[in-house]
């Protein structure tokens, strides 16, 4: 695979329902829209942009609403998932295309999945990294999260109150990000049996359980500076507001309860990622929920930041899948 290069990346600001979406584009060919998760940016796809471009694709990585140079509406309700789907649609149209293949990681996987679910006219295939597709259903999400952890608080519940997580993170954005990235990376995550960084002790902070002392192998000081610099400039509220709309998403998607995604699909997970172990039942249900699944992979000894921890493997799998999708067109 080609080494990452900045020489032919194009940065653009395009109109979107929130105002603008910042994107980074590389290559020509069928459009592949890359959607990042929390707490990241377009930069989390830095290894995929040149590889997909070299393979004959127009690779476009966006800053999701609330991140980076994209618009950051003040109203928390502006971050419900259907709003982010419309941002994705606006990007496709602004680039002069009628359709795209959408690939997402972490929250981006959820955004990509819902994009394919509700706008199959625009998104003709969907790739999901780290977070499996689980159709809307069951109790209200906040009720589920409140029951997790016993006396401890699940991080999603911890993020709900506006300003609370910001007060922990924003005084030391760089240190917090370094700790979270390390906590969920295969080579630096806490040992089995150690306190789980997905939970917060009563009266404590999430960072209390983060490892310290070294960065994961995929993250150097320059990378960390770039991530931290963006969040120091924008603050964390836009990113955290995604978590604060999970109940609204559940309400908004009521008409899609239990709905499968029928387009050609892909899943790649990390073998040591909590997302794949907690949601193992969702992966097992893929024959029903992703009937168009062409390829599914669990990468051994890989954590959550999959396309950065194992870029060569992810690029190979992505390109093999994209070849199938585009050759079937």
């Amino acid at each position: 695979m080609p080494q990452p290069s900045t020489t032919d990346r194009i940065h653009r600001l395009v109109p979107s329902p929130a105002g603008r979406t910042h994107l980074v584009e590389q290559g020509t060919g069928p459009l592949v829209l890359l959607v990042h998760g929390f707490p990241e940016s377009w930069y989390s796809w830095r290894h995929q942009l040149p590889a997909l471009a070299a393979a004959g694709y127009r690779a476009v990585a966006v800053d999701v609403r609330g991140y980076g140079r994209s618009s950051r509406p003040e109203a928390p309700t502006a971050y419900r998932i259907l709003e982010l789907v419309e941002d994705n649609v606006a990007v496709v149209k602004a680039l002069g295309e009628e359709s795209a293949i959408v690939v997402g990681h972490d929250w981006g996987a959820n955004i990509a999945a819902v994009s394919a679910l509700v706008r199959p006219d625009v998104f003709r295939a969907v790739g999901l990294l780290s977070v499996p597709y689980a159709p809307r259903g069951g109790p209200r999400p906040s009720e589920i999260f409140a029951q997790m952890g016993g006396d401890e608080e699940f991080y999603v519940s911890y993020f709900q109150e506006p300003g609370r997580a910001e007060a922990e993170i924003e005084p030391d954005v760089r240190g917090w990000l370094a700790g979270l990235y390390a906590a969920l990376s295969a080579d630096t995550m806490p040992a089995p049996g150690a306190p789980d960084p997905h939970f917060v002790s009563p009266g404590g902070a999430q960072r209390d359980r983060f490892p310290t002392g070294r960065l994961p192998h995929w993250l150097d000081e320059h990378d960390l500076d770039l991530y931290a610099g963006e969040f120091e400039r924008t603050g964390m509220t836009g990113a955290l507001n995604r978590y604060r709309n999970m109940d609204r998403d559940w309400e908004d998607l009521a008409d899609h309860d239990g709905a499968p995604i029928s387009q050609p699909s892909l899943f790649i997970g990390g073998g040591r990622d909590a997302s794949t172990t907690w949601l193992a039942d969702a992966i097992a249900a893929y024959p029903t929920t992703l009937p168009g699944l062409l390829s599914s992979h669990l990468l051994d000894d890989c954590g959550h930041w999959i396309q950065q921890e194992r870029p060569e493997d992810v690029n190979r799998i992505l390109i093999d899948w994209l070849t199938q999708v585009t050759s079937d067109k």
Side-chain angles (χ1 to χ4, degrees), residues 66-77:
Y67 289 80
R69 293 167 59 193
S70 293
S71 291
R72 299 186 303 280
E74 290 189 12
T77 56

Side-chain angles (χ1 to χ4, degrees), residues 117 132-138 250 253 256-261 282 285-286 288-290:
L117 178 68
Y133 174 59
R136 187 264 190 209
W250 181 81
L253 294 172
H256 299 277
D257 196 79
I261 295 173
Y286 279 168
T288 300
T289 60
L290 291 179

Side-chain angles (χ1 to χ4, degrees), residues 97-168:
E97 303 284 355
E98 294 298 320
S99 67
I101 298 162
V102 62
V103 178
H105 169 256
D106 182 76
W107 261 121
N110 290 101
I111 298 166
V114 178
S115 295
L117 178 68
V118 304
R119 293 302 304 267
D121 56 316
V122 177
F123 300 104
R124 60 192 183 96
V126 58
L128 309 176
L129 274 59
S130 296
V131 176
Y133 174 59
R136 187 264 190 209
R140 187 176 294 270
S142 60
E143 296 174 2
I144 297 173
F145 299 136
Q147 296 170 6
M148 297 176 65
D151 292 336
E152 298 176 341
E153 187 174 16
F154 191 49
Y155 78 100
V156 177
S157 298
Y158 180 70
F159 286 170
Q160 292 303 303
E161 181 184 342
R164 185 183 180 199
E166 289 93 329
E168 173 185 341

